[in-house]
Amino acid sequence: MNFSYSFIDEKVQSHYYFEQVSSLNEIDDEEFIALTKKRSFYVSKPWLTAIERMRGKDTAYIVVRNNQNKLLGVLPFYWGKPSVRGYYEPFKRFLEPTKGNFIEKDWSPTLIIGSRSAYACEFLLSEHLSTQEQTLILQQMITCVQNRMASYGAASLSALYINKEGCNQLKQIVSNPEDFFITGANAVITIEWSTFEDYLLSLKSKERTKARKERGVFLSKGYDIRLAKLEDSLETFAQLFINHEHKYGYQTSLENQIKELEVFIDTAGEYSHILTLNLKDVVAGCLLLFLWEDTIYARTVGFDFDIVGQSFEYFNLGYYALIEFAIDRNFKYIDYGMGTYRAKLKRGAHLEPVYGYIYSPSTSSPFIDSEFKQWNEFRTEAVIQNNIDVLERINFP
């Protein structure tokens, strides 16, 4: 298992120029946007810039240009302390839980390539390049990062939560294309209906009856849902998001939440919107959305739990209102991300698995270990079969 490649010949070096930059501010917006066409919002410049600002100095980028100074590729990479939730700490998250024979110092700390947030990773390369050129350039960008592992004190190099497109890109250059392990699954609804009633009719009879009941009870309470911009009522939205975080055991302060949202306003304000849940002009809940090309990315939900109760507010704001919004605005997809799979699958979502790949120069592929291999096969099968009971029992992801 190896990311390691050297330049093929001097001719390659004469055609492409590779450099490391510390900020996306060093790359022109228009030329960067050309790389993100048809890519996830979570590898867009607005999103990556927000993460860069929030993480501080443990972020850099390998940039490649041709002799005419045309931008051909950008590879973010990240180091430093992982987030408190631990989803980007591969040893603790994916190796140790298998009970396999893994030694922490062989794998941790890791350098992360591609993306280190939002559980979506793919690689930014010019669409005007041939497949062969894309493979070569990605290969060399990763080699540039690998050559920096020692200077950043990294024991391993990893790409995590890689989507289908990113896997296809990376499989062209790794030594064993089978050495991808499942890291999670994003729940996505494909908008195939012209009206909300058509959506309801697409559900199974039991789920359709349940949805009608949930919507009816909700509407009878006098709620209405409106569209706002993130900056419209920043402190109110921040407090609602915190309420939801605290309910599920994640502690943060109002000050920190406001700072994070202010970063999104500054970097992604054009794409950030809020669906608000209102009761007599009081905002009782909100849902943060990023609208990017043909997809709505549902990001964060929050409620005033002193107001909301047993009127199915969560399902109406997070699903029914959002689906109706997507239909009315002609979006093709709603990306709900990972987790709460039962609620999402029963309301029309399907699962799109995301994968990981990790390389350590001091040891072999995790797939050499039978415990790891069996663990990965079990989790993969649960996702492929959309087996909600198993996914909940193993606390996936």
Side-chain angles (χ1 to χ4, degrees):
M1 180 176 181
N2 202 337
F3 276 116
S4 182
Y5 294 86
S6 60
F7 285 107
I8 293 175
D9 54 34
E10 292 183 1
K11 185 177 179 181
V12 172
Q13 296 186 62
S14 68
H15 278 77
Y16 306 114
Y17 173 67
F18 295 79
E19 66 173 336
Q20 178 177 326
V21 301
S22 60
S23 175
L24 289 179
N25 290 334
E26 300 180 47
I27 304 173
D28 179 75
D29 286 352
E30 287 191 14
E31 60 178 355
F32 194 97
I33 287 173
L35 300 184
T36 60
K37 186 179 180 181
K38 298 181 181 178
R39 300 292 182 193
S40 166
F41 175 72
Y42 295 129
V43 293
S44 71
K45 190 172 185 181
W47 178 263
L48 292 177
T49 301
I51 301 308
E52 174 189 312
R53 293 189 185 180
M54 286 187 279
R55 284 194 57 82
K57 297 181 180 179
D58 54 358
T59 301
Y61 310 87
I62 301 298
V63 177
V64 58
R65 297 179 180 275
N66 63 14
N67 289 337
Q68 289 74 47
N69 203 36
K70 182 177 178 59
L71 184 67
L72 302 179
V74 176
L75 178 66
F77 67 99
Y78 306 89
W79 60 96
K81 186 178 180 180
S83 67
V84 293
R85 302 192 186 190
Y87 283 96
Y88 282 88
E89 209 298 299
F91 176 79
K92 293 291 186 182
R93 189 74 192 176
F94 304 113
L95 301 183
E96 189 176 59
T98 71
K99 309 301 181 183
N101 185 26
F102 300 114
I103 300 173
E104 185 171 3
K105 67 180 179 64
D106 288 333
W107 304 99
S108 186
T110 192
L111 268 183
I112 298 169
I113 59 172
S115 173
R116 65 130 295 120
S117 64
Y119 321 118
C121 173
E122 55 188 300
F123 302 98
L124 297 173
L125 297 160
S126 171
E127 64 177 347
H128 300 298
L129 295 168
S130 68
T131 301
Q132 182 180 9
E133 288 174 312
Q134 288 190 354
T135 299
L136 174 64
I137 288 173
L138 179 58
Q139 187 181 91
Q140 302 308 316
M141 288 196 298
I142 293 176
T143 297
C144 289
V145 178
Q146 183 178 336
N147 291 341
R148 289 158 169 77
M149 286 177 59
S151 63
Y152 289 105
S156 67
L157 190 64
S158 57
L160 302 174
Y161 308 99
I162 317 166
N163 62 21
K164 180 180 178 181
E165 292 75 14
C167 283
N168 289 338
Q169 293 171 305
L170 200 54
K171 283 181 178 181
Q172 303 302 313
I173 68 171
V174 299
S175 57
N176 188 350
E178 302 302 317
D179 281 356
F180 286 77
F181 55 93
I182 196 161
T183 53
N186 289 318
V188 178
I189 290 182
T190 302
I191 304 300
E192 303 174 309
W193 317 283
S194 57
T195 67
F196 185 77
E197 180 63 24
D198 289 340
Y199 158 71
L200 290 175
L201 292 173
S202 73
L203 299 176
K204 294 179 180 179
S205 177
K206 181 180 178 181
E207 302 306 329
R208 181 166 61 250
T209 299
K210 185 177 181 181
R212 291 192 190 281
K213 176 187 175 183
E214 291 171 342
R215 191 164 168 85
V217 171
F218 172 80
L219 293 174
S220 72
K221 297 296 181 178
Y223 284 116
D224 71 281
I225 292 175
R226 306 168 192 172
L227 184 66
K229 293 293 290 181
L230 181 54
E231 62 266 30
D232 288 348
S233 300
L234 181 59
E235 187 167 333
T236 297
F237 298 150
Q239 185 59 62
L240 295 175
F241 293 145
I242 286 176
N243 294 345
H244 192 266
E245 293 285 283
H246 288 181
K247 181 178 180 179
Y248 290 96
Y250 299 112
Q251 298 302 314
T252 186
S253 68
L254 180 62
E255 180 183 8
N256 287 340
Q257 185 70 68
I258 288 175
K259 285 181 179 179
E260 181 175 310
L261 294 178
E262 285 176 338
V263 171
F264 285 131
I265 291 170
D266 190 36
T267 65
E270 178 183 351
Y271 309 101
S272 59
H273 296 72
I274 295 281
L275 280 186
T276 64
L277 173 65
N278 307 280
L279 186 62
K280 297 180 180 178
D281 289 327
V282 175
V283 179
C286 61
L287 175 65
L288 174 60
L289 312 172
F290 293 107
L291 310 184
W292 177 257
E293 296 187 348
D294 59 0
T295 302
I296 299 173
Y297 294 84
R299 185 65 191 169
T300 309
V301 68
F303 292 100
D304 183 337
F305 293 108
D306 290 332
I307 297 177
V308 303
Q310 303 300 315
S311 300
F312 308 106
E313 290 92 344
Y314 172 78
F315 299 121
N316 276 275
L317 176 62
Y319 297 98
Y320 308 136
L322 185 52
I323 291 168
E324 191 167 30
F325 175 82
I327 292 171
D328 291 344
R329 300 296 181 96
N330 295 314
F331 285 95
K332 292 183 179 179
Y333 306 99
I334 301 174
D335 186 325
Y336 282 102
M338 298 197 302
T340 58
Y341 293 118
R342 183 175 295 274
K344 294 168 183 175
L345 290 174
K346 287 184 175 295
R347 287 166 178 81
H350 64 275
L351 297 184
E352 296 184 353
V354 288
Y355 297 90
Y357 191 96
I358 187 167
Y359 158 72
S360 170
S362 62
T363 190
S364 303
S365 161
F367 281 87
I368 298 298
D369 190 287
S370 60
E371 296 289 343
F372 179 86
K373 192 173 182 179
Q374 291 174 12
W375 172 87
N376 184 62
E377 289 173 351
F378 179 75
R379 284 159 52 93
T380 301
E381 189 67 19
V383 170
I384 291 173
Q385 294 182 351
N386 285 347
N387 192 321
I388 302 174
D389 292 334
V390 172
L391 293 174
E392 289 181 338
R393 187 171 71 249
I394 65 176
N395 196 30
F396 188 85

